[in-house]
mmCIF file of all heavy atoms in Angstrom:
data_model
loop_
_atom_site.group_PDB
_atom_site.id
_atom_site.type_symbol
_atom_site.label_atom_id
_atom_site.label_comp_id
_atom_site.label_asym_id
_atom_site.label_seq_id
_atom_site.Cartn_x
_atom_site.Cartn_y
_atom_site.Cartn_z
ATOM 1 N N ILE A 1451 -13.869 -78.793 -89.243
ATOM 2 C CA ILE A 1451 -15.216 -79.374 -89.363
ATOM 3 C C ILE A 1451 -15.996 -78.841 -88.172
ATOM 4 O O ILE A 1451 -15.682 -79.175 -87.020
ATOM 5 C CB ILE A 1451 -15.108 -80.909 -89.393
ATOM 6 C CG1 ILE A 1451 -14.434 -81.318 -90.709
ATOM 7 C CG2 ILE A 1451 -16.478 -81.556 -89.221
ATOM 8 C CD1 ILE A 1451 -13.977 -82.739 -90.777
ATOM 9 N N THR A 1452 -16.965 -77.991 -88.437
ATOM 10 C CA THR A 1452 -17.475 -77.135 -87.363
ATOM 11 C C THR A 1452 -18.825 -77.533 -86.756
ATOM 12 O O THR A 1452 -19.160 -77.059 -85.674
ATOM 13 C CB THR A 1452 -17.604 -75.685 -87.868
ATOM 14 O OG1 THR A 1452 -18.369 -75.694 -89.075
ATOM 15 C CG2 THR A 1452 -16.234 -75.068 -88.127
ATOM 16 N N GLU A 1453 -19.620 -78.366 -87.457
ATOM 17 C CA GLU A 1453 -20.962 -78.673 -86.930
ATOM 18 C C GLU A 1453 -21.355 -80.101 -87.269
ATOM 19 O O GLU A 1453 -22.493 -80.378 -87.664
ATOM 20 C CB GLU A 1453 -22.000 -77.699 -87.515
ATOM 21 C CG GLU A 1453 -21.708 -76.238 -87.249
ATOM 22 C CD GLU A 1453 -22.784 -75.295 -87.783
ATOM 23 O OE1 GLU A 1453 -23.892 -75.748 -88.122
ATOM 24 O OE2 GLU A 1453 -22.496 -74.083 -87.860
ATOM 25 N N LEU A 1454 -20.451 -81.022 -87.096
ATOM 26 C CA LEU A 1454 -20.660 -82.383 -87.605
ATOM 27 C C LEU A 1454 -21.866 -83.088 -86.983
ATOM 28 O O LEU A 1454 -22.039 -83.121 -85.767
ATOM 29 C CB LEU A 1454 -19.390 -83.207 -87.332
ATOM 30 C CG LEU A 1454 -19.423 -84.669 -87.763
ATOM 31 C CD1 LEU A 1454 -19.582 -84.802 -89.279
ATOM 32 C CD2 LEU A 1454 -18.137 -85.381 -87.304
ATOM 33 N N ASP A 1455 -22.707 -83.644 -87.842
ATOM 34 C CA ASP A 1455 -23.669 -84.677 -87.434
ATOM 35 C C ASP A 1455 -24.018 -85.488 -88.681
ATOM 36 O O ASP A 1455 -23.966 -84.975 -89.794
ATOM 37 C CB ASP A 1455 -24.921 -84.109 -86.729
ATOM 38 C CG ASP A 1455 -25.601 -82.958 -87.446
ATOM 39 O OD1 ASP A 1455 -25.436 -82.817 -88.671
ATOM 40 O OD2 ASP A 1455 -26.334 -82.202 -86.775
ATOM 41 N N ILE A 1456 -24.289 -86.787 -88.494
ATOM 42 C CA ILE A 1456 -24.467 -87.693 -89.631
ATOM 43 C C ILE A 1456 -25.705 -88.562 -89.378
ATOM 44 O O ILE A 1456 -25.776 -89.246 -88.340
ATOM 45 C CB ILE A 1456 -23.246 -88.612 -89.825
ATOM 46 C CG1 ILE A 1456 -21.936 -87.814 -89.797
ATOM 47 C CG2 ILE A 1456 -23.391 -89.387 -91.144
ATOM 48 C CD1 ILE A 1456 -20.673 -88.657 -89.963
ATOM 49 N N ARG A 1457 -26.660 -88.505 -90.299
ATOM 50 C CA ARG A 1457 -27.921 -89.237 -90.089
ATOM 51 C C ARG A 1457 -27.658 -90.701 -89.742
ATOM 52 O O ARG A 1457 -26.924 -91.396 -90.432
ATOM 53 C CB ARG A 1457 -28.812 -89.140 -91.345
ATOM 54 C CG ARG A 1457 -30.230 -89.634 -91.071
ATOM 55 C CD ARG A 1457 -31.159 -89.354 -92.225
ATOM 56 N NE ARG A 1457 -30.684 -90.009 -93.430
ATOM 57 C CZ ARG A 1457 -31.072 -89.674 -94.670
ATOM 58 N NH1 ARG A 1457 -31.926 -88.683 -94.848
ATOM 59 N NH2 ARG A 1457 -30.609 -90.328 -95.708
ATOM 60 N N ASN A 1458 -28.240 -91.116 -88.663
ATOM 61 C CA ASN A 1458 -28.101 -92.486 -88.131
ATOM 62 C C ASN A 1458 -26.678 -92.845 -87.699
ATOM 63 O O ASN A 1458 -26.396 -94.017 -87.439
ATOM 64 C CB ASN A 1458 -28.678 -93.515 -89.108
ATOM 65 C CG ASN A 1458 -30.182 -93.341 -89.236
ATOM 66 O OD1 ASN A 1458 -30.854 -93.076 -88.240
ATOM 67 N ND2 ASN A 1458 -30.706 -93.434 -90.442
ATOM 68 N N SER A 1459 -25.821 -91.872 -87.672
ATOM 69 C CA SER A 1459 -24.446 -92.002 -87.138
ATOM 70 C C SER A 1459 -23.718 -93.294 -87.517
ATOM 71 O O SER A 1459 -23.226 -93.993 -86.629
ATOM 72 C CB SER A 1459 -24.450 -91.827 -85.614
ATOM 73 O OG SER A 1459 -25.462 -92.581 -85.009
ATOM 74 N N PRO A 1460 -23.626 -93.626 -88.800
ATOM 75 C CA PRO A 1460 -22.905 -94.857 -89.150
ATOM 76 C C PRO A 1460 -21.428 -94.768 -88.778
ATOM 77 O O PRO A 1460 -20.795 -93.723 -88.954
ATOM 78 C CB PRO A 1460 -23.037 -94.938 -90.687
ATOM 79 C CG PRO A 1460 -24.074 -93.943 -91.058
ATOM 80 C CD PRO A 1460 -24.077 -92.896 -89.984
ATOM 81 N N VAL A 1461 -20.909 -95.870 -88.292
ATOM 82 C CA VAL A 1461 -19.504 -95.944 -87.899
ATOM 83 C C VAL A 1461 -18.597 -95.556 -89.068
ATOM 84 O O VAL A 1461 -17.650 -94.767 -88.910
ATOM 85 C CB VAL A 1461 -19.183 -97.383 -87.408
ATOM 86 C CG1 VAL A 1461 -17.681 -97.639 -87.389
ATOM 87 C CG2 VAL A 1461 -19.776 -97.614 -86.028
ATOM 88 N N GLU A 1462 -18.881 -96.106 -90.273
ATOM 89 C CA GLU A 1462 -17.991 -95.860 -91.432
ATOM 90 C C GLU A 1462 -17.944 -94.382 -91.788
ATOM 91 O O GLU A 1462 -16.895 -93.870 -92.194
ATOM 92 C CB GLU A 1462 -18.447 -96.610 -92.702
ATOM 93 C CG GLU A 1462 -18.960 -98.030 -92.504
ATOM 94 C CD GLU A 1462 -20.372 -98.047 -91.942
ATOM 95 O OE1 GLU A 1462 -21.309 -97.645 -92.663
ATOM 96 O OE2 GLU A 1462 -20.541 -98.479 -90.770
ATOM 97 N N ASP A 1463 -19.079 -93.709 -91.701
ATOM 98 C CA ASP A 1463 -19.086 -92.284 -92.061
ATOM 99 C C ASP A 1463 -18.364 -91.443 -91.013
ATOM 100 O O ASP A 1463 -17.587 -90.547 -91.352
ATOM 101 C CB ASP A 1463 -20.531 -91.804 -92.236
ATOM 102 C CG ASP A 1463 -21.171 -92.417 -93.462
ATOM 103 O OD1 ASP A 1463 -20.923 -91.933 -94.569
ATOM 104 O OD2 ASP A 1463 -21.879 -93.427 -93.311
ATOM 105 N N TYR A 1464 -18.622 -91.734 -89.750
ATOM 106 C CA TYR A 1464 -17.942 -90.952 -88.706
ATOM 107 C C TYR A 1464 -16.430 -91.149 -88.777
ATOM 108 O O TYR A 1464 -15.644 -90.195 -88.692
ATOM 109 C CB TYR A 1464 -18.478 -91.314 -87.304
ATOM 110 C CG TYR A 1464 -19.471 -90.289 -86.795
ATOM 111 C CD1 TYR A 1464 -20.834 -90.576 -86.717
ATOM 112 C CD2 TYR A 1464 -19.055 -89.009 -86.401
ATOM 113 C CE1 TYR A 1464 -21.752 -89.632 -86.261
ATOM 114 C CE2 TYR A 1464 -19.957 -88.057 -85.939
ATOM 115 C CZ TYR A 1464 -21.296 -88.370 -85.874
ATOM 116 O OH TYR A 1464 -22.199 -87.428 -85.425
ATOM 117 N N THR A 1465 -16.002 -92.413 -88.935
ATOM 118 C CA THR A 1465 -14.551 -92.638 -88.955
ATOM 119 C C THR A 1465 -13.936 -92.057 -90.230
ATOM 120 O O THR A 1465 -12.792 -91.604 -90.212
ATOM 121 C CB THR A 1465 -14.206 -94.139 -88.794
ATOM 122 O OG1 THR A 1465 -14.937 -94.885 -89.762
ATOM 123 C CG2 THR A 1465 -14.525 -94.630 -87.403
ATOM 124 N N ALA A 1466 -14.694 -92.038 -91.328
ATOM 125 C CA ALA A 1466 -14.164 -91.429 -92.561
ATOM 126 C C ALA A 1466 -13.957 -89.927 -92.375
ATOM 127 O O ALA A 1466 -12.963 -89.354 -92.838
ATOM 128 C CB ALA A 1466 -15.105 -91.698 -93.731
ATOM 129 N N VAL A 1467 -14.882 -89.281 -91.687
ATOM 130 C CA VAL A 1467 -14.743 -87.836 -91.455
ATOM 131 C C VAL A 1467 -13.541 -87.563 -90.540
ATOM 132 O O VAL A 1467 -12.731 -86.664 -90.797
ATOM 133 C CB VAL A 1467 -16.045 -87.246 -90.857
ATOM 134 C CG1 VAL A 1467 -15.832 -85.794 -90.437
ATOM 135 C CG2 VAL A 1467 -17.186 -87.359 -91.864
ATOM 136 N N VAL A 1468 -13.411 -88.357 -89.483
ATOM 137 C CA VAL A 1468 -12.264 -88.182 -88.583
ATOM 138 C C VAL A 1468 -10.964 -88.418 -89.345
ATOM 139 O O VAL A 1468 -9.997 -87.658 -89.218
ATOM 140 C CB VAL A 1468 -12.388 -89.132 -87.370
ATOM 141 C CG1 VAL A 1468 -11.091 -89.167 -86.566
ATOM 142 C CG2 VAL A 1468 -13.556 -88.701 -86.489
ATOM 143 N N GLN A 1469 -10.950 -89.455 -90.188
ATOM 144 C CA GLN A 1469 -9.744 -89.758 -90.968
ATOM 145 C C GLN A 1469 -9.417 -88.610 -91.921
ATOM 146 O O GLN A 1469 -8.249 -88.254 -92.114
ATOM 147 C CB GLN A 1469 -9.928 -91.064 -91.754
ATOM 148 C CG GLN A 1469 -8.629 -91.635 -92.289
ATOM 149 C CD GLN A 1469 -7.641 -91.980 -91.166
ATOM 150 O OE1 GLN A 1469 -8.009 -92.591 -90.173
ATOM 151 N NE2 GLN A 1469 -6.387 -91.555 -91.310
ATOM 152 N N ALA A 1470 -10.451 -88.018 -92.499
ATOM 153 C CA ALA A 1470 -10.230 -86.891 -93.420
ATOM 154 C C ALA A 1470 -9.517 -85.758 -92.693
ATOM 155 O O ALA A 1470 -8.557 -85.171 -93.204
ATOM 156 C CB ALA A 1470 -11.560 -86.419 -93.992
ATOM 157 N N CYS A 1471 -9.960 -85.442 -91.475
ATOM 158 C CA CYS A 1471 -9.316 -84.356 -90.720
ATOM 159 C C CYS A 1471 -7.889 -84.752 -90.336
ATOM 160 O O CYS A 1471 -6.977 -83.922 -90.394
ATOM 161 C CB CYS A 1471 -10.145 -83.988 -89.488
ATOM 162 S SG CYS A 1471 -9.522 -82.520 -88.623
ATOM 163 N N LEU A 1472 -7.698 -86.014 -89.984
ATOM 164 C CA LEU A 1472 -6.333 -86.458 -89.657
ATOM 165 C C LEU A 1472 -5.409 -86.311 -90.863
ATOM 166 O O LEU A 1472 -4.259 -85.909 -90.735
ATOM 167 C CB LEU A 1472 -6.347 -87.937 -89.231
ATOM 168 C CG LEU A 1472 -6.960 -88.261 -87.876
ATOM 169 C CD1 LEU A 1472 -7.066 -89.774 -87.703
ATOM 170 C CD2 LEU A 1472 -6.128 -87.657 -86.739
ATOM 171 N N ASP A 1473 -5.941 -86.625 -92.049
ATOM 172 C CA ASP A 1473 -5.096 -86.678 -93.253
ATOM 173 C C ASP A 1473 -4.824 -85.310 -93.874
ATOM 174 O O ASP A 1473 -3.886 -85.160 -94.650
ATOM 175 C CB ASP A 1473 -5.751 -87.578 -94.315
ATOM 176 C CG ASP A 1473 -5.721 -89.046 -93.894
ATOM 177 O OD1 ASP A 1473 -4.978 -89.376 -92.950
ATOM 178 O OD2 ASP A 1473 -6.451 -89.844 -94.506
ATOM 179 N N VAL A 1474 -5.693 -84.351 -93.615
ATOM 180 C CA VAL A 1474 -5.501 -83.023 -94.217
ATOM 181 C C VAL A 1474 -4.804 -82.144 -93.177
ATOM 182 O O VAL A 1474 -5.371 -81.820 -92.129
ATOM 183 C CB VAL A 1474 -6.860 -82.423 -94.655
ATOM 184 C CG1 VAL A 1474 -6.684 -80.978 -95.128
ATOM 185 C CG2 VAL A 1474 -7.471 -83.279 -95.753
ATOM 186 N N GLU A 1475 -3.577 -81.803 -93.468
ATOM 187 C CA GLU A 1475 -2.752 -81.147 -92.457
ATOM 188 C C GLU A 1475 -3.380 -79.875 -91.892
ATOM 189 O O GLU A 1475 -3.291 -79.581 -90.702
ATOM 190 C CB GLU A 1475 -1.385 -80.837 -93.058
ATOM 191 C CG GLU A 1475 -0.319 -80.726 -91.991
ATOM 192 C CD GLU A 1475 1.031 -80.322 -92.568
ATOM 193 O OE1 GLU A 1475 1.266 -80.580 -93.763
ATOM 194 O OE2 GLU A 1475 1.819 -79.728 -91.812
ATOM 195 N N LYS A 1476 -4.033 -79.101 -92.767
ATOM 196 C CA LYS A 1476 -4.601 -77.831 -92.291
ATOM 197 C C LYS A 1476 -5.833 -78.021 -91.403
ATOM 198 O O LYS A 1476 -6.317 -77.062 -90.812
ATOM 199 C CB LYS A 1476 -5.009 -76.961 -93.478
ATOM 200 C CG LYS A 1476 -3.858 -76.228 -94.148
ATOM 201 C CD LYS A 1476 -4.395 -75.273 -95.218
ATOM 202 C CE LYS A 1476 -3.283 -74.609 -96.000
ATOM 203 N NZ LYS A 1476 -3.826 -73.727 -97.065
ATOM 204 N N CYS A 1477 -6.373 -79.247 -91.359
ATOM 205 C CA CYS A 1477 -7.597 -79.448 -90.546
ATOM 206 C C CYS A 1477 -7.204 -79.440 -89.080
ATOM 207 O O CYS A 1477 -6.463 -80.291 -88.595
ATOM 208 C CB CYS A 1477 -8.285 -80.757 -90.913
ATOM 209 S SG CYS A 1477 -9.831 -80.973 -89.994
ATOM 210 N N THR A 1478 -7.757 -78.473 -88.350
ATOM 211 C CA THR A 1478 -7.301 -78.273 -86.973
ATOM 212 C C THR A 1478 -8.166 -78.985 -85.943
ATOM 213 O O THR A 1478 -7.688 -79.416 -84.894
ATOM 214 C CB THR A 1478 -7.213 -76.754 -86.686
ATOM 215 O OG1 THR A 1478 -6.753 -76.561 -85.382
ATOM 216 C CG2 THR A 1478 -8.534 -76.071 -86.843
ATOM 217 N N GLY A 1479 -9.455 -79.143 -86.240
ATOM 218 C CA GLY A 1479 -10.308 -79.776 -85.247
ATOM 219 C C GLY A 1479 -11.686 -80.111 -85.786
ATOM 220 O O GLY A 1479 -12.048 -79.737 -86.905
ATOM 221 N N ILE A 1480 -12.427 -80.838 -84.958
ATOM 222 C CA ILE A 1480 -13.800 -81.251 -85.304
ATOM 223 C C ILE A 1480 -14.710 -80.849 -84.148
ATOM 224 O O ILE A 1480 -14.375 -81.059 -82.975
ATOM 225 C CB ILE A 1480 -13.876 -82.782 -85.496
ATOM 226 C CG1 ILE A 1480 -13.029 -83.220 -86.697
ATOM 227 C CG2 ILE A 1480 -15.330 -83.235 -85.654
ATOM 228 C CD1 ILE A 1480 -13.010 -84.732 -86.933
ATOM 229 N N THR A 1481 -15.873 -80.296 -84.498
ATOM 230 C CA THR A 1481 -16.908 -80.012 -83.510
ATOM 231 C C THR A 1481 -18.174 -80.752 -83.931
ATOM 232 O O THR A 1481 -18.603 -80.619 -85.082
ATOM 233 C CB THR A 1481 -17.221 -78.502 -83.456
ATOM 234 O OG1 THR A 1481 -16.002 -77.782 -83.253
ATOM 235 C CG2 THR A 1481 -18.204 -78.182 -82.336
ATOM 236 N N VAL A 1482 -18.760 -81.541 -83.043
ATOM 237 C CA VAL A 1482 -20.054 -82.163 -83.345
ATOM 238 C C VAL A 1482 -21.172 -81.251 -82.842
ATOM 239 O O VAL A 1482 -21.010 -80.533 -81.853
ATOM 240 C CB VAL A 1482 -20.199 -83.577 -82.734
ATOM 241 C CG1 VAL A 1482 -19.430 -84.612 -83.539
ATOM 242 C CG2 VAL A 1482 -19.778 -83.620 -81.291
ATOM 243 N N TRP A 1483 -22.325 -81.320 -83.551
ATOM 244 C CA TRP A 1483 -23.372 -80.328 -83.279
ATOM 245 C C TRP A 1483 -24.340 -80.826 -82.205
ATOM 246 O O TRP A 1483 -25.536 -81.000 -82.450
ATOM 247 C CB TRP A 1483 -24.081 -79.929 -84.574
ATOM 248 C CG TRP A 1483 -24.674 -78.539 -84.495
ATOM 249 C CD1 TRP A 1483 -25.986 -78.187 -84.618
ATOM 250 C CD2 TRP A 1483 -23.971 -77.302 -84.258
ATOM 251 N NE1 TRP A 1483 -26.146 -76.823 -84.462
ATOM 252 C CE2 TRP A 1483 -24.919 -76.258 -84.236
ATOM 253 C CE3 TRP A 1483 -22.623 -76.982 -84.047
ATOM 254 C CZ2 TRP A 1483 -24.568 -74.922 -84.036
ATOM 255 C CZ3 TRP A 1483 -22.279 -75.642 -83.834
ATOM 256 C CH2 TRP A 1483 -23.250 -74.646 -83.836
ATOM 257 N N GLY A 1484 -23.796 -81.041 -81.003
ATOM 258 C CA GLY A 1484 -24.602 -81.461 -79.861
ATOM 259 C C GLY A 1484 -24.054 -82.725 -79.241
ATOM 260 O O GLY A 1484 -23.317 -83.478 -79.878
ATOM 261 N N VAL A 1485 -24.417 -82.942 -77.967
ATOM 262 C CA VAL A 1485 -23.973 -84.153 -77.267
ATOM 263 C C VAL A 1485 -24.904 -85.315 -77.618
ATOM 264 O O VAL A 1485 -24.486 -86.286 -78.243
ATOM 265 C CB VAL A 1485 -23.948 -83.927 -75.735
ATOM 266 C CG1 VAL A 1485 -23.684 -85.231 -75.004
ATOM 267 C CG2 VAL A 1485 -22.891 -82.884 -75.349
ATOM 268 N N SER A 1486 -26.165 -85.190 -77.233
ATOM 269 C CA SER A 1486 -27.086 -86.330 -77.308
ATOM 270 C C SER A 1486 -28.114 -86.174 -78.431
ATOM 271 O O SER A 1486 -28.616 -85.081 -78.683
ATOM 272 C CB SER A 1486 -27.829 -86.436 -75.970
ATOM 273 O OG SER A 1486 -29.044 -87.109 -76.119
ATOM 274 N N ASP A 1487 -28.461 -87.312 -79.042
ATOM 275 C CA ASP A 1487 -29.528 -87.327 -80.049
ATOM 276 C C ASP A 1487 -30.806 -86.663 -79.535
ATOM 277 O O ASP A 1487 -31.569 -86.073 -80.301
ATOM 278 C CB ASP A 1487 -29.869 -88.778 -80.421
ATOM 279 C CG ASP A 1487 -28.791 -89.410 -81.293
ATOM 280 O OD1 ASP A 1487 -28.007 -88.672 -81.908
ATOM 281 O OD2 ASP A 1487 -28.746 -90.659 -81.336
ATOM 282 N N LYS A 1488 -31.011 -86.775 -78.241
ATOM 283 C CA LYS A 1488 -32.200 -86.210 -77.617
ATOM 284 C C LYS A 1488 -32.345 -84.710 -77.900
ATOM 285 O O LYS A 1488 -33.449 -84.186 -78.014
ATOM 286 C CB LYS A 1488 -32.060 -86.431 -76.108
ATOM 287 C CG LYS A 1488 -33.161 -85.934 -75.278
ATOM 288 C CD LYS A 1488 -32.888 -86.282 -73.831
ATOM 289 C CE LYS A 1488 -34.076 -85.785 -73.013
ATOM 290 N NZ LYS A 1488 -33.907 -86.108 -71.609
ATOM 291 N N ASP A 1489 -31.222 -84.032 -78.014
ATOM 292 C CA ASP A 1489 -31.244 -82.571 -78.155
ATOM 293 C C ASP A 1489 -30.803 -82.096 -79.528
ATOM 294 O O ASP A 1489 -30.617 -80.897 -79.737
ATOM 295 C CB ASP A 1489 -30.342 -81.942 -77.092
ATOM 296 C CG ASP A 1489 -30.789 -82.309 -75.686
ATOM 297 O OD1 ASP A 1489 -31.968 -82.073 -75.374
ATOM 298 O OD2 ASP A 1489 -29.975 -82.854 -74.918
ATOM 299 N N SER A 1490 -30.643 -83.022 -80.473
ATOM 300 C CA SER A 1490 -30.187 -82.614 -81.804
ATOM 301 C C SER A 1490 -31.246 -81.779 -82.511
ATOM 302 O O SER A 1490 -32.442 -82.043 -82.390
ATOM 303 C CB SER A 1490 -29.876 -83.859 -82.649
ATOM 304 O OG SER A 1490 -29.693 -83.492 -84.001
ATOM 305 N N TRP A 1491 -30.804 -80.804 -83.312
ATOM 306 C CA TRP A 1491 -31.736 -80.046 -84.157
ATOM 307 C C TRP A 1491 -32.346 -80.974 -85.220
ATOM 308 O O TRP A 1491 -33.379 -80.660 -85.783
ATOM 309 C CB TRP A 1491 -31.025 -78.858 -84.813
ATOM 310 C CG TRP A 1491 -30.048 -79.236 -85.891
ATOM 311 C CD1 TRP A 1491 -28.868 -79.890 -85.722
ATOM 312 C CD2 TRP A 1491 -30.178 -78.998 -87.296
ATOM 313 N NE1 TRP A 1491 -28.248 -80.072 -86.940
ATOM 314 C CE2 TRP A 1491 -29.036 -79.529 -87.925
ATOM 315 C CE3 TRP A 1491 -31.141 -78.366 -88.089
ATOM 316 C CZ2 TRP A 1491 -28.830 -79.470 -89.306
ATOM 317 C CZ3 TRP A 1491 -30.929 -78.301 -89.463
ATOM 318 C CH2 TRP A 1491 -29.794 -78.855 -90.057
#
Side-chain angles (χ1 to χ4, degrees):
I1451 292 167
T1452 53
E1453 302 183 15
L1454 179 63
D1455 49 23
I1456 312 179
R1457 192 172 60 199
N1458 294 321
S1459 47
V1461 163
E1462 320 77 68
D1463 291 280
Y1464 259 108
T1465 52
V1467 172
V1468 169
Q1469 195 61 46
C1471 187
L1472 289 172
D1473 290 346
V1474 173
E1475 205 184 335
K1476 281 186 185 178
C1477 183
T1478 181
I1480 295 178
T1481 307
V1482 283
W1483 206 241
V1485 172
S1486 156
D1487 286 340
K1488 180 178 182 179
D1489 301 306
S1490 168
W1491 71 292

